[in-house]
Amino acid sequence: ANGTVLFVLPSEVLVWQIAATYYEFFKGNVTICTDQIIFQEITGGAQVYIGTPSALEIAISKARGCAGQEMTKGEREFMVLDGGYNQFDYLVLDEVHTLNGPEGDALQRIIKSCNCPCLALSATI
């Protein structure tokens, strides 16, 4: 399947678990975004972005321009994600029942910002 996936998980532990699983599947084209680390392949060929709601929201909606000159020069920075939610073709929400949890507000804003098909996963709903 073609397209870029935004995979939102409720905890950093799950981010690392899913990233390890998909790293082999996507041949390293995986971007990781948590409160502790942001990493993307410098080639820009990431097929899946995996992270927690608040970390993804901050990284993707970060203001560009004077604060991000590397983006205007055409150079890629492995610790600065490309901006905008329009780059995603699919949105996957794991443990969606955490919508009422501590990061539920960021999760709601991500859902409203993404204009793509969404798959919501939960074992308890």
Side-chain angles (χ1 to χ4, degrees):
N2 293 330
T4 304
V5 178
L6 178 60
F7 204 127
V8 186
L9 298 141
S11 70
E12 187 170 339
V13 173
L14 284 172
V15 168
W16 286 108
Q17 180 183 7
I18 297 299
T21 301
Y22 286 136
Y23 193 80
E24 287 295 320
F25 183 76
F26 288 109
K27 297 178 179 46
N29 294 327
V30 175
T31 291
I32 299 167
C33 185
T34 70
D35 292 330
Q36 303 297 318
I37 187 171
I38 297 173
F39 175 80
Q40 71 175 346
E41 292 293 326
I42 204 154
T43 61
Q47 292 177 278
V48 62
Y49 286 64
I50 304 170
T52 57
S54 61
L56 283 167
E57 181 186 36
I58 290 168
I60 294 171
S61 61
K62 173 190 172 227
R64 302 300 193 268
C66 291
Q69 284 295 321
E70 68 279 351
M71 303 309 282
T72 62
K73 291 189 266 182
E75 298 173 4
R76 297 191 60 81
E77 172 65 43
F78 70 93
M79 292 184 66
V80 177
L81 299 187
D82 295 339
Y85 291 96
N86 59 349
Q87 64 185 311
F88 302 111
D89 300 304
Y90 305 98
L91 172 63
V92 178
L93 308 169
D94 194 15
E95 308 290 348
V96 75
H97 59 269
T98 61
L99 195 61
N100 292 328
E103 294 195 38
D105 56 338
L107 187 55
Q108 289 179 34
R109 288 188 293 270
I110 289 172
I111 293 168
K112 287 185 173 191
S113 298
C114 286
N115 187 19
C116 60
C118 175
L119 175 63
L121 306 170
S122 176
T124 60
I125 295 181

